[in-house]
Every structure is written in structure tokens, then in C-alpha cells.
Amino acid sequence: MADTKLTAMSASKAEILDAAAEVFMRLGADTASIDDVARQLGSTKGRIYHHFPSKGVLLAEVCLRAADFVLQRVPPVITPDAAPEENLRQMILTHIPEVLRTLPYHKVIIQSYVGVQQKSTTALERELFAQIQLERKAYETLFRDVLQTGMQDGSFRAQNTSIALQSLLLLINAPVFWYHPRADEPDSFIRDLSAQLAEMALASLR
Amino acid sequence: MADTKLTAMSASKAEILDAAAEVFMRLGADTASIDDVARQLGSTKGRIYHHFPSKGVLLAEVCLRAADFVLQRVPPVITPDAAPEENLRQMILTHIPEVLRTLPYHKVIIQSYVGVQQKSTTALERELFAQIQLERKAYETLFRDVLQTGMQDGSFRAQNTSIALQSLLLLINAPVFWYHPRADEPDSFIRDLSAQLAEMALASLR
DNA sequence: AGGCAAACATACTACTGAGTATGCTGTCAA
DNA sequence: TTGACAGCATACTCAGTAGTATGTTTGCCT
């Protein structure tokens, strides 16, 4: 799963992150133990604690990676001189397949959206979660900008920007909640799904 | 908070559920301990274990109550001979304020949506979670029906029903993720918020 | 009055799970 | 060759937590 790397990372570390994302997704980040992650890897705790100083940092790096995935793909498809509608459509059509490609990571980061304030003990953990917060804000800003531009030129109807933005973001992440990859699903499924959600999102703004 | 009761319940038990919902919301249902809930109540564990056989059952009853809240308010506003659009609008305008009124409960039940398969040990817990599942399905069906009716009579555009339904449900629950009651917020805020989301939801379907 | 549950509080037990200390093994540079 | 370090495995410690067992009080019915 892990291929593109924004920050250089050893293959072993990436493998651990994949396993952690998978296990955290299945059992929940709190419920899952480090031993569970180790079992998924076919190794023991020692390997994990050799690369990560604590469970909190491991969780933080999983979330950070989730943010990196989309932040790497979506900005390049934004073309400043295109119509807001077309920009937003392309952003959504890029966002959704990328999210579903790296689904476990996003299922984990969504857990942290639902309240659960970290009891970040160590300074490193606080720092990482602050960075996640920053990347999240940056990602939101991409959508906020295109939204505001569209409202000004009349592409989108005028309404409370924050509410519209939050709703939009949740809408394009909706598949994270219910999508399960299936063997008998046609290759075009994700493309069609993305297209339908893009239509719904755009329609909700017009 | 707890006033309307679908199943008769002692005041003390309701008070425990309120506290549990609050604490589970803040710390996450897994992280939070029974002692945390007891501390929130200003009492001790004994009181909780007198009313609930296990933490799992306590969590299940919180979720069940969350489902009950909306399931009690929304069905009455559905009028079979009204237009699908108008029915759906009224459902949303009822759903959102009720959800925000009982916010902690819904923040807890949403945690369970995000993966986390219960390790329901006892039979009672499995039974309760099965009932939650049923109520959830029943609630979804309310929306699915009005959606399909609207697609047939042309009120709504034809598209994949499941995807549209899931997106719709997430959209009307979006405030659960970001809403925080504020002292300086005007009385009309929730009403306006609900109206905007209803507009967005309806627009996304047309 | 008095007894008898219900409704708690107190004081335990048993166990899980994060983190650590230390041991083992291959690899690579000097 | 060797030594030294990365990359793990093994075997612990210890704090926190679910659950229990047993007291103690309070209302309530007769």
C-alpha cells in the first residue's frame, strides 16, 4: 500500500504503519494493543518499539500519513483559472479514490475526529498532533478557497461558509464510513461512486 | 437532559446514562473507565454496577438511548400524502435539533460507527447491540422510503439509492462532528443551521 | 417498631497492556 | 578478524482497570 513517500521512510517502518492502520481500524486505536499490531506483523513488540517510542506516536504517525496521502494528490489538480465548479469536481474525483486506496489510514484518523481528546503525555506526541492539525487546516483551506471563490462569482449560492465547508468535507469522506472493498465489484465502481458524490456535492452548493 | 422516555427508567439510571454519555464522549468509550463515569457522578463504582452488569451493557444502553431519541421524534412528522421533498425537509428539521439537544449520546454512538467491532462477550451485550442495529436499520428505512418515493415521482433525480442514502444520513449528522454549544450563540442558530442543511440535502438530491 | 429490600459505598482480586531492560544475530566498515 | 551498531526477540515490571464480595444506609410496607 505504501508507495509514494513524502518523508523518506524505511520499508520496515512503513510496513509497521500499514499493519498499525489495519489493526487500529479493525479494533479501534484505543482497544488495539501493541501486541495486536505485532501479531499482525508476525513479529513481536520489540520491533515496533525499536522504531516508535510509544503507542501514541505510532498512532500519530498513522494519522499524519493519512493526511499526507490526500495532501499529495489533491493540490496538483487545482487550476487557478478554471471555474470553481470544475476545480471542486476534480478535487473530489481525486480525493475519494485516494482515500479508498488508503482506507485503513483514514478510518483511523476519523476515529480521532470523534471527540477523543488525546491524553498526549509526551512532547513529541503533542508536536505530531499539532502538525496533523495544521495539515488538516491546510487541506480544509483548499476547499474553503474554491468554495468562497464560487460564492463570489455566483457559481455557488451564498450561505454560511463554515457550515457548507464542514458538510462538504464530511460528504466527500462519507465512503470511509461504509465502503468495503468487494471482490465482485466492477473496476468502475469507485469511479462511478466518486462521480455520483461529486454531483451530489456540487448540487448541494448550487 | 433525559425527559422523554420510551422505556420506563429510574431517574438514577437515566442520570448514570447522562454521565456515561458525557464521559464517553470526552474520553472515548474505550479509554474512559467506569471510575471516570462514577467521578463525573460524584459517586463510586458501586452505584453503576448496581444498575448495569458490565461496561459493555452501559455503553450499549447509551447507544440505544441515542437511537431512541430520534426514533421518537422523527416518525410523527412524516405525512404519507405530502410531497417527498416536504416530508424529507420536515424530517431533517426535526432530526438535527433533537440530535444537538442530546449531543453526547450521538457522539458516542458515532464512535461505534467507525469500525470498532465490539468484543461483546456476554449474551446480553450482543442482544442489545443487535437491537441497536435494528433501530438503526428502521431509522434508515424511513429515509430510504421517502427517497425512493421521491425518485419515482421525479422529485429527486435517479441515482444509486444506497450511496445517496448513506450520504444523506451522514450529511444530516454532520453537526455531531463539529458543533459545540456556545453561550454567545443566538437562539435561532440551531434553527438556521438545520434549515441550511435541509436545503443542502434537498439540493444534493434534485 | 421493625424488618427487609433497594441503593449505594468500600475494599478487595485478577488481569491486561504499555513500556523497559537485556539478550541475540546478521552486516558492514576498518 | 573483529567490533560495533542496526534490527529485532525475550522476559520481565508495574500501573491502571473491570469486575466482585461484602459492608452500610435509606426508604417503605405492614
Side-chain angles (χ1 to χ4, degrees):
Chain A
M1 169 177 296
D3 36 351
T4 59
K5 38 200 68 167
L6 189 139
T7 63
M9 184 186 309
S10 77
S12 180
K13 200 171 173 181
E15 194 186 351
I16 293 176
L17 285 178
D18 283 354
E22 173 73 25
V23 171
F24 287 171
M25 171 185 76
R26 281 210 314 265
L27 304 176
D30 316 309
T31 305
S33 72
I34 297 290
D35 289 301
D36 287 333
V37 178
R39 198 172 312 121
Q40 166 86 11
L41 282 166
S43 65
T44 70
K45 244 198 298 208
R47 180 174 170 192
I48 296 173
Y49 276 101
H50 178 73
H51 290 277
F52 301 91
S54 73
K55 182 184 176 180
V57 169
L58 176 59
L59 173 59
E61 293 215 16
V62 167
C63 294
L64 199 54
R65 202 131 188 271
D68 285 344
F69 282 135
V70 289
L71 213 42
Q72 209 168 16
R73 302 265 187 174
V74 170
V77 307
I78 303 176
T79 58
D81 45 346
E85 294 172 274
E86 204 43 46
N87 260 332
L88 184 53
R89 187 196 311 276
Q90 290 308 319
M91 290 164 76
I92 297 175
L93 291 180
T94 307
H95 172 92
I96 294 179
E98 178 64 8
V99 162
L100 295 186
R101 190 182 70 85
T102 56
L103 187 58
Y105 285 89
H106 298 278
K107 285 222 173 195
V108 172
I109 201 178
I110 275 196
Q111 291 174 18
S112 72
Y113 284 4
V114 190
V116 199
Q117 53 195 13
Q118 293 331 106
K119 13 181 83 172
S120 311
T121 48
T122 80
L124 177 55
E125 289 177 17
R126 273 189 296 273
E127 186 184 334
L128 285 174
F129 278 107
Q131 189 176 344
I132 293 170
Q133 189 77 5
L134 278 181
E135 296 203 359
R136 189 184 176 211
K137 288 253 180 186
Y139 196 62
E140 284 184 12
T141 300
L142 295 178
F143 287 83
R144 181 186 291 272
D145 286 347
V146 67
L147 211 111
Q148 279 174 336
T149 305
M151 284 191 189
Q152 276 159 16
D153 75 5
S155 306
F156 302 139
R157 117 183 96 94
Q159 56 179 327
N160 183 307
T161 308
S162 295
I163 295 177
L165 175 62
Q166 295 303 324
S167 306
L168 171 64
L169 290 172
L170 206 63
L171 192 61
I172 67 177
N173 282 305
V176 177
F177 287 87
W178 54 263
Y179 175 77
H180 291 282
R182 288 172 36 167
D184 62 332
E185 122 193 339
D187 291 351
S188 63
F189 182 76
I190 290 184
R191 225 171 29 247
D192 295 342
L193 162 63
S194 305
Q196 178 172 341
L197 280 179
E199 273 321 301
M200 290 185 70
L202 287 173
S204 74
L205 296 174
R206 280 192 285 250
Chain B
M1 167 176 296
D3 36 349
T4 57
K5 37 200 70 167
L6 188 139
T7 63
M9 185 186 309
S10 77
S12 179
K13 200 170 175 182
E15 193 186 352
I16 293 176
L17 285 177
D18 282 355
E22 173 73 25
V23 172
F24 287 170
M25 170 185 77
R26 281 209 316 265
L27 304 176
D30 317 308
T31 305
S33 71
I34 296 290
D35 288 301
D36 288 332
V37 178
R39 198 172 313 120
Q40 166 85 12
L41 282 166
S43 64
T44 70
K45 243 198 296 209
R47 179 174 172 192
I48 296 173
Y49 276 101
H50 178 73
H51 290 277
F52 301 91
S54 74
K55 182 183 176 181
V57 169
L58 175 60
L59 172 59
E61 294 214 18
V62 168
C63 293
L64 200 54
R65 201 133 190 268
D68 285 343
F69 282 135
V70 288
L71 213 42
Q72 208 169 16
R73 301 266 188 173
V74 170
V77 306
I78 303 175
T79 56
D81 45 346
E85 295 173 273
E86 204 43 43
N87 261 331
L88 183 53
R89 187 195 311 276
Q90 291 308 320
M91 291 165 77
I92 298 176
L93 291 180
T94 306
H95 172 92
I96 295 179
E98 177 65 8
V99 162
L100 295 186
R101 189 182 71 86
T102 56
L103 187 58
Y105 285 89
H106 297 278
K107 284 223 174 194
V108 172
I109 202 178
I110 275 195
Q111 291 175 16
S112 73
Y113 283 4
V114 189
V116 198
Q117 54 195 13
Q118 290 335 104
K119 20 180 76 171
S120 311
T121 48
T122 79
L124 176 56
E125 288 176 17
R126 273 190 295 275
E127 187 185 333
L128 284 174
F129 278 108
Q131 189 177 345
I132 293 169
Q133 188 77 7
L134 279 182
E135 296 202 359
R136 189 185 175 211
K137 288 253 182 186
Y139 196 63
E140 283 185 13
T141 301
L142 295 178
F143 287 83
R144 180 185 291 272
D145 286 347
V146 65
L147 212 116
Q148 279 175 335
T149 305
M151 283 192 189
Q152 276 161 16
D153 74 6
S155 307
F156 302 137
R157 119 183 95 94
Q159 56 180 326
N160 183 305
T161 308
S162 294
I163 295 178
L165 175 62
Q166 295 301 325
S167 306
L168 170 64
L169 289 173
L170 206 63
L171 192 61
I172 67 176
N173 281 305
V176 175
F177 288 87
W178 54 264
Y179 174 77
H180 291 282
R182 288 172 39 167
D184 63 332
E185 122 192 341
D187 291 351
S188 63
F189 182 75
I190 290 184
R191 226 172 28 248
D192 295 342
L193 161 64
S194 304
Q196 178 173 342
L197 280 179
E199 272 321 301
M200 291 186 68
L202 287 172
S204 75
L205 296 175
R206 280 193 285 252

Tab-separated table of all heavy atoms in Angstrom, chain A residues 26-67:
chain	number	residue	atom	x	y	z
A	26	ARG	N	-9.555	-2.025	12.610
A	26	ARG	CA	-10.428	-3.146	12.985
A	26	ARG	C	-10.880	-3.066	14.435
A	26	ARG	O	-12.045	-3.255	14.749
A	26	ARG	CB	-9.705	-4.470	12.758
A	26	ARG	CG	-9.675	-4.933	11.319
A	26	ARG	CD	-9.644	-6.462	11.253
A	26	ARG	NE	-8.671	-7.017	12.193
A	26	ARG	CZ	-7.422	-7.341	11.883
A	26	ARG	NH1	-7.002	-7.181	10.662
A	26	ARG	NH2	-6.618	-7.854	12.791
A	27	LEU	N	-9.955	-2.783	15.329
A	27	LEU	CA	-10.254	-2.869	16.760
A	27	LEU	C	-10.458	-1.516	17.422
A	27	LEU	O	-10.908	-1.451	18.562
A	27	LEU	CB	-9.112	-3.605	17.483
A	27	LEU	CG	-8.778	-5.000	16.949
A	27	LEU	CD1	-7.588	-5.565	17.691
A	27	LEU	CD2	-9.976	-5.914	17.095
A	28	GLY	N	-10.139	-0.458	16.717
A	28	GLY	CA	-10.142	0.855	17.358
A	28	GLY	C	-8.769	1.120	17.943
A	28	GLY	O	-8.134	0.216	18.492
A	29	ALA	N	-8.321	2.341	17.840
A	29	ALA	CA	-6.954	2.670	18.239
A	29	ALA	C	-6.726	2.455	19.735
A	29	ALA	O	-5.634	2.082	20.150
A	29	ALA	CB	-6.633	4.117	17.865
A	30	ASP	N	-7.738	2.668	20.524
A	30	ASP	CA	-7.584	2.509	21.974
A	30	ASP	C	-7.589	1.038	22.353
A	30	ASP	O	-6.740	0.574	23.103
A	30	ASP	CB	-8.707	3.222	22.719
A	30	ASP	CG	-8.972	4.595	22.154
A	30	ASP	OD1	-8.005	5.352	22.009
A	30	ASP	OD2	-10.140	4.885	21.868
A	31	THR	N	-8.560	0.321	21.830
A	31	THR	CA	-8.717	-1.089	22.179
A	31	THR	C	-7.528	-1.916	21.709
A	31	THR	O	-7.050	-2.788	22.433
A	31	THR	CB	-10.002	-1.639	21.552
A	31	THR	OG1	-11.098	-0.814	21.956
A	31	THR	CG2	-10.247	-3.065	21.988
A	32	ALA	N	-7.057	-1.656	20.509
A	32	ALA	CA	-5.970	-2.452	19.958
A	32	ALA	C	-4.700	-2.277	20.775
A	32	ALA	O	-4.365	-1.166	21.186
A	32	ALA	CB	-5.723	-2.041	18.510
A	33	SER	N	-4.008	-3.359	21.000
A	33	SER	CA	-2.757	-3.299	21.756
A	33	SER	C	-1.578	-3.361	20.806
A	33	SER	O	-1.709	-3.769	19.648
A	33	SER	CB	-2.682	-4.452	22.748
A	33	SER	OG	-2.464	-5.668	22.061
A	34	ILE	N	-0.433	-2.956	21.325
A	34	ILE	CA	0.790	-3.051	20.522
A	34	ILE	C	1.071	-4.496	20.141
A	34	ILE	O	1.570	-4.780	19.052
A	34	ILE	CB	1.984	-2.476	21.324
A	34	ILE	CG1	1.754	-0.987	21.596
A	34	ILE	CG2	3.284	-2.656	20.563
A	34	ILE	CD1	1.849	-0.119	20.380
A	35	ASP	N	0.737	-5.409	21.042
A	35	ASP	CA	0.907	-6.828	20.736
A	35	ASP	C	0.009	-7.258	19.577
A	35	ASP	O	0.384	-8.121	18.795
A	35	ASP	CB	0.603	-7.665	21.988
A	35	ASP	CG	1.682	-7.514	23.053
A	35	ASP	OD1	2.844	-7.835	22.754
A	35	ASP	OD2	1.369	-7.062	24.159
A	36	ASP	N	-1.173	-6.663	19.490
A	36	ASP	CA	-2.051	-6.959	18.356
A	36	ASP	C	-1.384	-6.554	17.045
A	36	ASP	O	-1.413	-7.295	16.064
A	36	ASP	CB	-3.381	-6.201	18.513
A	36	ASP	CG	-4.256	-6.798	19.599
A	36	ASP	OD1	-4.123	-8.004	19.867
A	36	ASP	OD2	-5.061	-6.060	20.186
A	37	VAL	N	-0.799	-5.375	17.037
A	37	VAL	CA	-0.109	-4.898	15.837
A	37	VAL	C	1.067	-5.816	15.514
A	37	VAL	O	1.291	-6.183	14.358
A	37	VAL	CB	0.386	-3.452	16.030
A	37	VAL	CG1	1.137	-2.981	14.785
A	37	VAL	CG2	-0.783	-2.522	16.313
A	38	ALA	N	1.795	-6.205	16.553
A	38	ALA	CA	2.942	-7.090	16.350
A	38	ALA	C	2.491	-8.428	15.767
A	38	ALA	O	3.126	-8.965	14.862
A	38	ALA	CB	3.673	-7.309	17.666
A	39	ARG	N	1.390	-8.955	16.275
A	39	ARG	CA	0.863	-10.228	15.779
A	39	ARG	C	0.495	-10.101	14.305
A	39	ARG	O	0.760	-11.004	13.508
A	39	ARG	CB	-0.348	-10.644	16.602
A	39	ARG	CG	-0.703	-12.126	16.458
A	39	ARG	CD	-1.792	-12.530	17.437
A	39	ARG	NE	-1.495	-12.063	18.782
A	39	ARG	CZ	-2.287	-11.257	19.479
A	39	ARG	NH1	-3.414	-10.843	18.944
A	39	ARG	NH2	-1.946	-10.872	20.687
A	40	GLN	N	-0.110	-8.990	13.943
A	40	GLN	CA	-0.454	-8.728	12.538
A	40	GLN	C	0.800	-8.756	11.670
A	40	GLN	O	0.756	-9.161	10.510
A	40	GLN	CB	-1.163	-7.374	12.439
A	40	GLN	CG	-1.287	-6.802	11.046
A	40	GLN	CD	-2.526	-7.329	10.325
A	40	GLN	OE1	-3.382	-7.946	10.935
A	40	GLN	NE2	-2.596	-7.090	9.034
A	41	LEU	N	1.912	-8.315	12.239
A	41	LEU	CA	3.174	-8.268	11.508
A	41	LEU	C	3.873	-9.624	11.501
A	41	LEU	O	4.841	-9.823	10.761
A	41	LEU	CB	4.106	-7.238	12.144
A	41	LEU	CG	3.836	-5.770	11.827
A	41	LEU	CD1	4.606	-4.872	12.774
A	41	LEU	CD2	4.202	-5.462	10.390
A	42	GLY	N	3.426	-10.541	12.360
A	42	GLY	CA	4.132	-11.793	12.518
A	42	GLY	C	5.440	-11.607	13.257
A	42	GLY	O	6.377	-12.371	13.092
A	43	SER	N	5.500	-10.582	14.082
A	43	SER	CA	6.716	-10.362	14.877
A	43	SER	C	6.315	-10.012	16.304
A	43	SER	O	5.210	-10.332	16.729
A	43	SER	CB	7.545	-9.240	14.259
A	43	SER	OG	6.852	-8.010	14.317
A	44	THR	N	7.185	-9.373	17.024
A	44	THR	CA	6.878	-9.052	18.415
A	44	THR	C	7.019	-7.557	18.679
A	44	THR	O	7.429	-6.787	17.813
A	44	THR	CB	7.819	-9.799	19.395
A	44	THR	OG1	9.132	-9.234	19.271
A	44	THR	CG2	7.847	-11.282	19.099
A	45	LYS	N	6.648	-7.192	19.901
A	45	LYS	CA	6.665	-5.801	20.329
A	45	LYS	C	7.992	-5.113	20.103
A	45	LYS	O	8.041	-3.918	19.805
A	45	LYS	CB	6.347	-5.762	21.819
A	45	LYS	CG	5.081	-5.062	22.145
A	45	LYS	CD	5.039	-4.686	23.591
A	45	LYS	CE	5.079	-5.887	24.522
A	45	LYS	NZ	4.384	-5.570	25.789
A	46	GLY	N	9.058	-5.867	20.277
A	46	GLY	CA	10.392	-5.289	20.182
A	46	GLY	C	10.609	-4.526	18.891
A	46	GLY	O	11.184	-3.431	18.893
A	47	ARG	N	10.117	-5.102	17.812
A	47	ARG	CA	10.283	-4.466	16.511
A	47	ARG	C	9.614	-3.097	16.484
A	47	ARG	O	10.190	-2.120	15.982
A	47	ARG	CB	9.690	-5.355	15.422
A	47	ARG	CG	9.834	-4.759	14.046
A	47	ARG	CD	9.363	-5.715	12.973
A	47	ARG	NE	9.284	-5.056	11.683
A	47	ARG	CZ	8.695	-5.579	10.615
A	47	ARG	NH1	8.137	-6.777	10.712
A	47	ARG	NH2	8.655	-4.937	9.485
A	48	ILE	N	8.417	-3.023	17.009
A	48	ILE	CA	7.667	-1.771	16.977
A	48	ILE	C	8.337	-0.710	17.845
A	48	ILE	O	8.533	0.426	17.409
A	48	ILE	CB	6.218	-2.010	17.440
A	48	ILE	CG1	5.519	-2.952	16.458
A	48	ILE	CG2	5.467	-0.684	17.538
A	48	ILE	CD1	4.143	-3.386	16.890
A	49	TYR	N	8.707	-1.110	19.061
A	49	TYR	CA	9.304	-0.131	19.971
A	49	TYR	C	10.725	0.245	19.553
A	49	TYR	O	11.300	1.176	20.095
A	49	TYR	CB	9.279	-0.643	21.415
A	49	TYR	CG	7.963	-0.364	22.094
A	49	TYR	CD1	7.001	-1.359	22.234
A	49	TYR	CD2	7.661	0.918	22.556
A	49	TYR	CE1	5.789	-1.098	22.837
A	49	TYR	CE2	6.453	1.185	23.161
A	49	TYR	CZ	5.519	0.175	23.298
A	49	TYR	OH	4.316	0.449	23.892
A	50	HIS	N	11.270	-0.511	18.617
A	50	HIS	CA	12.565	-0.098	18.067
A	50	HIS	C	12.397	1.109	17.136
A	50	HIS	O	13.283	1.957	17.049
A	50	HIS	CB	13.209	-1.246	17.301
A	50	HIS	CG	14.516	-0.893	16.672
A	50	HIS	ND1	15.678	-0.724	17.407
A	50	HIS	CD2	14.859	-0.639	15.386
A	50	HIS	CE1	16.670	-0.398	16.604
A	50	HIS	NE2	16.197	-0.335	15.361
A	51	HIS	N	11.236	1.189	16.483
A	51	HIS	CA	11.014	2.265	15.508
A	51	HIS	C	10.171	3.405	16.056
A	51	HIS	O	10.265	4.524	15.571
A	51	HIS	CB	10.338	1.699	14.260
A	51	HIS	CG	11.216	0.808	13.443
A	51	HIS	ND1	12.119	1.294	12.528
A	51	HIS	CD2	11.352	-0.538	13.418
A	51	HIS	CE1	12.751	0.287	11.962
A	51	HIS	NE2	12.307	-0.842	12.491
A	52	PHE	N	9.320	3.099	17.048
A	52	PHE	CA	8.430	4.125	17.602
A	52	PHE	C	8.562	4.161	19.120
A	52	PHE	O	8.513	3.116	19.761
A	52	PHE	CB	6.981	3.838	17.204
A	52	PHE	CG	6.766	3.793	15.721
A	52	PHE	CD1	6.876	2.596	15.029
A	52	PHE	CD2	6.451	4.944	15.009
A	52	PHE	CE1	6.671	2.544	13.653
A	52	PHE	CE2	6.252	4.905	13.640
A	52	PHE	CZ	6.369	3.703	12.964
A	53	PRO	N	8.686	5.354	19.677
A	53	PRO	CA	8.923	5.474	21.108
A	53	PRO	C	7.699	5.155	21.962
A	53	PRO	O	7.846	4.841	23.137
A	53	PRO	CB	9.316	6.943	21.280
A	53	PRO	CG	8.709	7.644	20.116
A	53	PRO	CD	8.716	6.662	18.989
A	54	SER	N	6.513	5.246	21.386
A	54	SER	CA	5.315	4.989	22.182
A	54	SER	C	4.145	4.669	21.262
A	54	SER	O	4.198	4.900	20.052
A	54	SER	CB	4.966	6.204	23.033
A	54	SER	OG	4.446	7.240	22.213
A	55	LYS	N	3.080	4.162	21.844
A	55	LYS	CA	1.881	3.862	21.080
A	55	LYS	C	1.257	5.141	20.529
A	55	LYS	O	0.771	5.167	19.405
A	55	LYS	CB	0.871	3.125	21.955
A	55	LYS	CG	-0.394	2.731	21.239
A	55	LYS	CD	-1.402	2.092	22.181
A	55	LYS	CE	-2.699	1.793	21.448
A	55	LYS	NZ	-3.712	1.178	22.330
A	56	GLY	N	1.329	6.206	21.330
A	56	GLY	CA	0.763	7.475	20.893
A	56	GLY	C	1.445	8.012	19.649
A	56	GLY	O	0.793	8.532	18.746
A	57	VAL	N	2.750	7.885	19.595
A	57	VAL	CA	3.487	8.343	18.417
A	57	VAL	C	3.144	7.471	17.209
A	57	VAL	O	2.985	7.977	16.092
A	57	VAL	CB	5.005	8.322	18.686
A	57	VAL	CG1	5.781	8.531	17.404
A	57	VAL	CG2	5.370	9.388	19.712
A	58	LEU	N	3.033	6.178	17.442
A	58	LEU	CA	2.642	5.279	16.348
A	58	LEU	C	1.295	5.708	15.775
A	58	LEU	O	1.135	5.862	14.555
A	58	LEU	CB	2.572	3.840	16.864
A	58	LEU	CG	2.073	2.794	15.858
A	58	LEU	CD1	2.946	2.748	14.629
A	58	LEU	CD2	1.980	1.424	16.507
A	59	LEU	N	0.339	5.943	16.659
A	59	LEU	CA	-0.978	6.398	16.216
A	59	LEU	C	-0.881	7.727	15.482
A	59	LEU	O	-1.479	7.905	14.413
A	59	LEU	CB	-1.906	6.536	17.427
A	59	LEU	CG	-3.266	7.168	17.172
A	59	LEU	CD1	-4.042	6.360	16.145
A	59	LEU	CD2	-4.051	7.304	18.465
A	60	ALA	N	-0.094	8.633	16.014
A	60	ALA	CA	0.050	9.950	15.392
A	60	ALA	C	0.639	9.838	13.994
A	60	ALA	O	0.201	10.523	13.069
A	60	ALA	CB	0.913	10.842	16.276
A	61	GLU	N	1.606	8.957	13.834
A	61	GLU	CA	2.235	8.832	12.515
A	61	GLU	C	1.302	8.174	11.510
A	61	GLU	O	1.407	8.431	10.305
A	61	GLU	CB	3.558	8.061	12.643
A	61	GLU	CG	4.594	8.848	13.435
A	61	GLU	CD	6.010	8.621	12.904
A	61	GLU	OE1	6.170	8.126	11.768
A	61	GLU	OE2	6.969	8.915	13.643
A	62	VAL	N	0.430	7.308	11.997
A	62	VAL	CA	-0.588	6.745	11.109
A	62	VAL	C	-1.506	7.877	10.614
A	62	VAL	O	-1.782	7.996	9.421
A	62	VAL	CB	-1.421	5.658	11.826
A	62	VAL	CG1	-2.658	5.304	11.017
A	62	VAL	CG2	-0.579	4.415	12.048
A	63	CYS	N	-1.944	8.702	11.547
A	63	CYS	CA	-2.836	9.814	11.181
A	63	CYS	C	-2.143	10.802	10.253
A	63	CYS	O	-2.720	11.298	9.281
A	63	CYS	CB	-3.322	10.531	12.439
A	63	CYS	SG	-4.391	9.539	13.489
A	64	LEU	N	-0.891	11.064	10.552
A	64	LEU	CA	-0.123	12.002	9.738
A	64	LEU	C	0.003	11.490	8.307
A	64	LEU	O	-0.095	12.259	7.342
A	64	LEU	CB	1.266	12.182	10.362
A	64	LEU	CG	2.052	13.421	9.949
A	64	LEU	CD1	1.230	14.669	10.190
A	64	LEU	CD2	3.365	13.501	10.724
A	65	ARG	N	0.203	10.203	8.188
A	65	ARG	CA	0.320	9.592	6.872
A	65	ARG	C	-1.003	9.695	6.123
A	65	ARG	O	-1.024	9.920	4.904
A	65	ARG	CB	0.726	8.121	7.044
A	65	ARG	CG	1.385	7.501	5.852
A	65	ARG	CD	2.658	6.774	6.234
A	65	ARG	NE	3.386	6.344	5.069
A	65	ARG	CZ	3.195	5.159	4.472
A	65	ARG	NH1	2.287	4.331	4.927
A	65	ARG	NH2	3.916	4.830	3.431
A	66	ALA	N	-2.102	9.508	6.852
A	66	ALA	CA	-3.423	9.639	6.236
A	66	ALA	C	-3.582	11.026	5.626
A	66	ALA	O	-4.036	11.173	4.480
A	66	ALA	CB	-4.511	9.383	7.271
A	67	ALA	N	-3.181	12.029	6.383
A	67	ALA	CA	-3.290	13.404	5.889
A	67	ALA	C	-2.370	13.618	4.690
A	67	ALA	O	-2.750	14.265	3.711
A	67	ALA	CB	-2.949	14.383	7.008
